[in-house]
Amino acid sequence: MQRVIEIEEGRSFNFKASAFTPIQYNTLFPDSDFWKDLTSLQEATMGGLESFTTEDYTLLMRISYTMIYQGLAPSPKQTEEQKAFLEEYPSLDYFSDTFEMFSLLGCLDEIMALWGLSSITEVDEKNPESPPPER
Amino acid sequence: MTVALYALRCKQMGLTFEELDFLNIGMVWGMITESSNDDYKYPKKATKKQFHEFLRG
C-alpha cells in the first residue's frame, strides 16, 4: 500500500507500508526493533501532540525514512533510486535536518492511517493460548 | 512480538522477503492467525448436508 504525502510545501514523498516494512526498518536501523518502536509511537500519538517528545519524533522520523525508502522500489532488492536516496540522505540526522523543525508532525495522522490500513485483517484467532513469554 | 519472531513466523510459512513486500501486514497477520487456527478443535462441525444447504443459501 502506497501513498504520496506532502511533508512540506513542494516536498512530497511516496510512502510505502507493506509486510516487509518491519524487516526493512531493522535493516536500516539495526539497533532498533520495529514493533517496539511502533508501539511507543502509537502510545505517544494517543497522548496527543502536546506530550510528544523528541524521542517520539525520532521514531516518527525513522518510520517515515523507512516507508519513503521502501516507496522508491517495486521490490526489496535495492534499486538505483534507493541507492541515490541513501547517498542524498546517508543518515537519519541528515534526513531530519533537511526539513523544517517538526514539519513531519503534520503528517503523523496520514502516516499512521497508512499503516493502519495496511494492518487490517478479518481473521479471528480461535486458539486462546497465550504466546510464549518474551525473553 | 519482535522483528526476529515475526521474520521467523514468515519464514515458517514459506514467505520470502520479496513476497512480503507485495503483501499488506494485515494479510500476514491473518496468515499467522490462520496458521495457529489450523489445529483448533472445533466443538461442532457442519455435516455435508448442512454445508450444501449453506452453499445453496
Side-chain angles (χ1 to χ4, degrees), chain A residues 56-118:
Chain A
D56 299 329
Y57 192 72
T58 302
L59 299 182
L60 173 62
M61 191 60 83
R62 278 187 196 166
I63 289 172
S64 302
Y65 187 85
T66 306
M67 288 183 176
I68 291 169
Y69 179 80
Q70 272 196 277
L72 296 167
S75 85
K77 287 175 187 159
Q78 195 180 49
T79 63
E80 290 303 316
E81 288 82 359
Q82 286 182 321
K83 278 181 196 162
F85 177 81
L86 290 182
E87 278 167 22
E88 192 173 355
Y89 309 111
S91 73
L92 188 67
D93 287 341
Y94 196 89
F95 180 67
S96 180
D97 287 347
T98 65
F99 294 102
E100 295 294 322
M101 188 70 93
F102 301 127
S103 61
L104 203 56
L105 272 183
C107 309
L108 177 65
D109 289 344
E110 276 188 274
I111 295 165
M112 297 309 274
L114 175 65
W115 185 256
L117 281 172
S118 171

Side-chain angles (χ1 to χ4, degrees), chain A residues 1 3 111-121, chain B residues 24-26:
Chain A
M1 191 166 283
R3 182 176 294 175
I111 295 165
M112 297 309 274
L114 175 65
W115 185 256
L117 281 172
S118 171
S119 306
I120 293 171
T121 179
Chain B
N24 285 333
I25 190 77

Side-chain angles (χ1 to χ4, degrees), chain A residues 16 19 70 118 124 126-127, chain B residues 1 3 6 21 23 26 36-37:
Chain A
K16 180 175 179 181
Q70 272 196 277
S118 171
D124 296 323
K126 295 184 176 66
N127 284 319
Chain B
M1 175 69 83
V3 171
Y6 171 74
D21 204 41
L23 299 175
S36 76
N37 286 345

Side-chain angles (χ1 to χ4, degrees), chain A residues 2 22 32-34 36 40-41 45 48 63 66 71 83 89 97 99 106 108 113 115 121 133-135:
Chain A
Q2 303 186 50
S32 316
D33 189 275
F34 176 79
K36 192 171 157 245
S40 298
L41 183 61
T45 308
I63 289 172
T66 306
K83 278 181 196 162
Y89 309 111
D97 287 347
F99 294 102
L108 177 65
W115 185 256
T121 179
E134 286 185 26
R135 279 183 285 177

